[in-house]
């Protein structure tokens, strides 16, 4: 089973998104995604997230800035650890496009609903819109509204 980590990175009621490369050999080419990616050998989900955030956005994030939301599981295929990072104003100046993607920027909740998102992000966003809106606009993490059970799991069957 593949393992990945991703983050809902927010600041000023907006979410940081990455426009993937327009390469037909990658999943969701030319679509907007959350920052994140697959774990490398011997990496924990948090270590992978810190590395991916640095590679894709130039942001240096520490473990104490990361809040776990939960794990999205597609049995026998994928285990995705989802986190929330609330950026401080002073970190915004450090953001720049890293080693992959075409563009990186912040978007409001309303803008997200009109964007071409990756398949999984799009379906998850539509299904749990209230949970996303709650965390982005109110800075309130309600795992239930985001589809996670009491064990922090969201299983896609």
């Amino acid at each position: 089973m593949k393992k990945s980590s991703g983050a809902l990175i927010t600041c000023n009621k907006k979410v940081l998104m990455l426009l993937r490369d327009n390469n037909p050999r990658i999943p969701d080419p030319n679509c907007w995604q959350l920052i994140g990616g697959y774990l490398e050998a011997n990496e924990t989900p948090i270590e992978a997230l810190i590395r991916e955030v640095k590679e894709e956005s130039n942001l240096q994030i520490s473990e104490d800035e990361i809040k776990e939301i939960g794990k999205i599981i597609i049995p026998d295929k994928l285990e995705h650890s989802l986190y929330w990072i609330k950026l401080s104003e002073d970190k915004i100046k450090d953001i720049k496009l890293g080693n992959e993607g075409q563009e990186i920027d912040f978007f409001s909740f309303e803008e997200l609903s009109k964007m071409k998102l990756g398949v999984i992000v799009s379906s998850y966003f539509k299904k749990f819109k209230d949970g996303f809106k709650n965390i982005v606009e109110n800075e309130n993490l309600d795992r239930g509204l985001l589809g996670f059970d009491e064990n922090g799991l969201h299983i896609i069957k």
Side-chain angles (χ1 to χ4, degrees), residues 6-157:
L8 187 63
I9 301 174
T10 63
C11 188
N12 296 325
K13 300 182 188 286
K14 292 187 175 191
V15 179
L16 186 64
M17 300 291 287
L18 174 76
L19 180 60
R20 293 182 54 79
D21 290 316
N22 193 11
N23 177 346
R25 295 186 303 271
I26 65 171
D28 300 320
N30 210 36
C31 291
W32 291 94
Q33 293 282 114
L34 297 174
I35 303 295
Y38 291 110
L39 276 65
E40 293 180 352
N42 301 316
E43 267 186 329
T44 67
I46 293 273
E47 290 168 340
L49 182 69
I50 290 169
R51 175 183 52 77
E52 288 285 348
V53 167
K54 178 67 176 165
E55 289 175 359
E56 294 178 358
S57 71
N58 194 52
L59 287 169
Q60 191 67 49
I61 302 295
S62 64
E63 256 188 76
D64 62 325
E65 295 173 277
I66 301 169
K67 187 175 277 193
E68 183 175 17
I69 296 174
K71 289 192 188 312
I72 300 170
I73 297 175
I74 303 173
D76 301 320
K77 291 186 180 173
L78 179 69
E79 179 181 298
H80 181 75
S81 298
L82 183 62
Y83 299 93
W84 175 32
I85 300 169
K86 182 183 164 201
L87 286 184
S88 60
E89 288 281 336
D90 62 316
K91 284 208 170 188
I92 293 175
K93 66 181 177 351
D94 296 330
I95 296 172
K96 67 178 182 182
L97 185 61
N99 64 358
E100 55 186 83
Q102 304 174 66
E103 191 177 331
I104 190 168
D105 207 347
F106 281 94
F107 297 94
S108 70
F109 184 79
E110 284 304 312
E111 290 170 318
L112 284 176
S113 65
K114 299 171 187 147
M115 292 168 56
K116 182 181 177 189
L117 303 174
V119 175
I120 292 175
V121 173
S122 178
S123 62
Y124 187 79
F125 177 78
K126 287 175 186 167
K127 191 171 183 179
F128 300 104
K129 204 171 199 173
D130 291 341
F132 271 108
K133 188 172 186 173
N134 193 37
I135 199 168
V136 173
E137 294 185 356
N138 303 322
E139 298 180 346
N140 181 24
L141 173 56
D142 182 326
R143 289 175 178 87
L145 277 179
L146 288 166
F148 293 92
D149 65 18
E150 64 278 352
N151 298 313
L153 300 176
H154 174 75
I155 300 173
I156 299 174
K157 297 177 182 175

